[in-house]
Amino acid sequence: MKNFVIAIDGFSSCGKSTVAKALAKNLNYVFIDSGAMYRAVTLYVQQNNIDINDNDAITKALDDIHIDFIPNPEKTQILLNGIDVSEEIRTMEVSEYVSEVSAIKAVRTAMVKQQQALGKKRNIVMDGRDIGTTVFPNADLKIFMTASPQVRAERRFAELSAKGEVLTMEEVKENLSHRDHIDSTRAESPLRQADDAIVLDNSELNQEEQLKFVIDLVKQKIEMPQA
Ligand code: DC
């Protein structure tokens, strides 16, 4: 039987990974957070003092970057050259530069190749920006998530504060709009809604309601594959 691929795309801090994780758990699929891969590349660049504007040096460094996912019932771990960086890639320092790094053509080519390989034989839920448009244009189900800028900033602020990062709401909003701008205007596979994606605006929905929404869509697709 063919494997089932679910693509979830959308802006930063829309709650994509929360929905993707819950959905993968419910269906017993593998969850892959593609943003974590771009974050790991960014962390490597920072750890090795590579100039963020030096595309050639970053492209060259790709040969020395090995990213692995270890699926785990509680939480998928991401390894950068064998070291668990699951927490480190979530800091504001990485968030600040990840959009610049992920706009580099060679970085995208390398990550997309790995993402496609990860989704070859397994049932997966992958979240990101270009999963339904570039990575898996033939995905079985595509969801495009949005939420109001205020709701997104509040969620991100709460997430960072919980980790002890001291930031103002203004700084969080600024980072989100900066990333939105780069992610959706870059030349290489910019963030955009695939023509056949179903929109999920979760500004007013709790997690349970969002999960129900996507599970209903999966059921429809499984029962009526052409729908
Ligand atoms: O989902 P996230 O916020 O962890 O993603 C971090 C950055 O990675 C985001 O600003 C854009 C980039 N990204 C991308 O370009 N393509 C993807 N498929 C996933 C993330």
Side-chain angles (χ1 to χ4, degrees):
M1 215 171 110
K2 188 203 153 301
N3 62 325
F4 202 90
V5 174
I6 302 174
I8 302 186
D9 289 303
F11 293 100
S12 307
S13 297
C14 271
K16 296 184 299 293
S17 55
T18 307
V19 170
K21 244 182 257 174
L23 183 62
K25 193 171 173 195
N26 189 285
L27 300 171
N28 201 18
Y29 284 14
V30 176
F31 162 61
I32 300 161
D33 171 1
S34 68
M37 299 170 77
Y38 293 98
R39 287 176 177 272
V41 174
T42 306
L43 181 66
Y44 182 92
V45 166
Q46 291 174 335
Q47 283 175 338
N48 291 276
N49 299 317
I50 300 171
D51 181 353
I52 211 87
N53 298 309
D54 189 344
N55 286 12
D56 290 342
I58 296 176
T59 301
K60 220 167 137 225
L62 286 169
D63 288 338
D64 301 320
I65 300 177
H66 301 284
I67 298 167
D68 289 304
F69 279 95
I70 304 187
N72 185 315
E74 285 315 307
K75 157 170 189 231
T76 301
Q77 283 178 302
I78 177 151
L79 306 186
L80 170 61
N81 294 334
I83 296 167
D84 184 354
V85 292
S86 315
E87 294 300 324
E88 252 178 300
I89 57 168
R90 304 278 157 210
T91 61
M92 193 64 182
E93 214 184 325
V94 170
S95 298
E96 227 165 286
Y97 294 104
V98 64
S99 285
E100 272 87 349
V101 171
S102 54
I104 300 169
K105 189 174 186 264
V107 171
R108 300 211 70 80
T109 306
M111 294 304 115
V112 168
K113 203 169 146 199
Q114 284 195 34
Q115 289 152 12
Q116 288 171 334
L118 285 165
K120 252 214 171 120
K121 291 192 180 116
R122 294 181 280 188
N123 292 326
I124 60 159
V125 182
M126 189 178 288
D127 79 336
R129 305 292 188 288
D130 60 342
I131 310 306
T133 52
T134 304
V135 183
F136 295 113
N138 298 320
D140 300 279
L141 175 63
K142 299 179 188 177
I143 294 162
F144 190 83
M145 287 184 59
T146 68
S148 72
Q150 182 64 25
V151 167
R152 291 169 57 207
E154 283 167 10
R155 285 184 187 145
R156 185 83 186 123
F157 182 78
E159 203 178 288
L160 289 167
S161 304
K163 285 187 197 151
E165 289 217 32
V166 185
L167 283 156
T168 65
M169 191 67 159
E170 276 318 301
E171 285 169 321
V172 172
K173 276 190 178 158
E174 176 62 36
N175 175 255
L176 285 180
S177 73
H178 173 69
R179 282 163 66 196
D180 282 357
H181 178 72
I182 299 181
D183 294 349
S184 50
T185 58
R186 68 183 175 219
E188 284 300 315
S189 57
L191 165 67
R192 68 170 183 82
Q193 184 188 328
D195 295 336
D196 50 350
I198 294 157
V199 175
L200 165 56
D201 182 335
N202 68 4
S203 309
E204 309 282 338
L205 299 179
N206 65 30
Q207 289 180 16
E208 230 170 273
E209 291 164 331
Q210 294 172 57
L211 182 61
K212 182 177 178 324
F213 180 91
V214 286
I215 285 179
D216 286 348
L217 291 174
V218 174
K219 282 186 189 154
Q220 284 171 26
K221 286 281 172 190
I222 290 173
E223 283 158 21
M224 292 180 286
Q226 303 312 321

